[in-house]
């Protein structure tokens, strides 16, 4: 009963399933092969919560870990074309965007399966990118991020 009245925020726990193996030297292709397993685990856990009565769930996508210092350090390259205008690794963030897209598609499937449950994708990626863009111009506002990370 208490789940019916609760907002459930699924943890952004899969970042380590992507970031850690990359930092340990696994290839983008190898790490991409993990994505279906990660998404299935998220969907399975969400389904269990729905079966327990949850009706409002936010499932966050990954943030742009290609901008994270530990990834930038572990995957450092002298190739300037490997980085975007914010100094983030493009290939890592492309992997994250692909994974987030796959997750959004899985969430659409859950929404069709459970039409009386509100399941929302939390767009952490765009929120963090917005903060980085604002910070690079010398102005930054946490409210901007909070307002944009879900919508």
């Amino acid at each position: 009963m208490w789940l019916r009245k609760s907002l459930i925020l699924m943890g952004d726990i899969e970042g380590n399933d992507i970031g850690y193996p990359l930092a340990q030297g696994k290839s983008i292709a190898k790490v991409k092969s993990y994505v279906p397993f990660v998404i299935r685990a998220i969907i399975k856990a969400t389904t269990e919560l729905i079966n327990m009565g949850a009706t409002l769930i936010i499932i966050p996508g990954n943030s742009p870990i290609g901008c994270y210092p530990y990834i930038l350090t572990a995957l450092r390259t002298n190739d300037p074309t490997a980085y975007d205008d914010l100094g983030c690794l493009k290939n890592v963030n492309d992997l994250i965007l692909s994974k987030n897209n796959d997750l959004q598609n899985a969430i659409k499937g859950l929404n069709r399966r459970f039409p009386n449950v509100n399941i929302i994708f939390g767009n952490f990626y765009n929120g963090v990118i917005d903060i980085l863009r604002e910070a690079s111009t010398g102005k930054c506002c946490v409210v901007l991020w909070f307002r944009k990370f879900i919508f």
Side-chain angles (χ1 to χ4, degrees):
M1 176 64 147
W2 59 272
L3 281 177
R4 221 174 291 293
K5 296 179 180 182
S6 300
L7 169 63
I8 307 294
L9 175 61
M10 297 299 289
D12 182 26
I13 57 174
E14 79 279 4
N16 286 335
D17 295 323
I18 294 171
Y20 182 76
L22 288 172
Q24 297 301 310
K26 301 277 190 227
S27 70
I28 293 282
K30 179 67 176 171
V31 174
K32 187 172 184 153
S33 74
Y34 305 159
V35 169
F37 300 102
V38 170
I39 290 175
R40 275 196 295 274
I42 294 166
I43 297 305
K44 182 179 178 187
T46 302
T47 301
E48 288 180 28
L49 287 168
I50 292 168
N51 289 334
M52 293 169 56
T55 59
L56 180 56
I57 302 168
I58 298 173
I59 302 174
N62 281 109
S63 53
I65 66 171
C67 303
Y68 287 13
Y70 84 100
I71 292 292
L72 289 167
T73 300
L75 304 178
R76 182 181 355 207
T77 177
N78 290 327
D79 178 6
T81 64
Y83 299 92
D84 65 16
D85 62 319
L86 293 171
C88 304
L89 285 165
K90 291 190 275 189
N91 63 346
V92 175
N93 282 346
D94 287 346
L95 169 64
I96 297 301
L97 287 169
S98 174
K99 180 258 164 195
N100 285 348
N101 186 59
D102 292 348
L103 179 59
Q104 286 178 37
N105 287 332
I107 292 169
K108 287 176 188 173
L110 272 181
N111 278 316
R112 284 190 297 273
R113 195 167 147 206
F114 300 101
N116 296 324
V117 177
N118 194 4
I119 308 164
I120 303 163
F121 174 75
N123 194 344
F124 283 14
Y125 186 95
N126 287 349
V128 172
I129 289 295
D130 286 346
I131 288 173
L132 293 173
R133 287 206 189 287
E134 290 293 316
S136 71
T137 64
K139 55 184 178 177
C140 184
C141 180
V142 173
V143 173
L144 170 73
W145 175 78
F146 184 74
R147 201 172 349 133
K148 291 185 178 183
F149 93 95
I150 292 180
F151 306 103

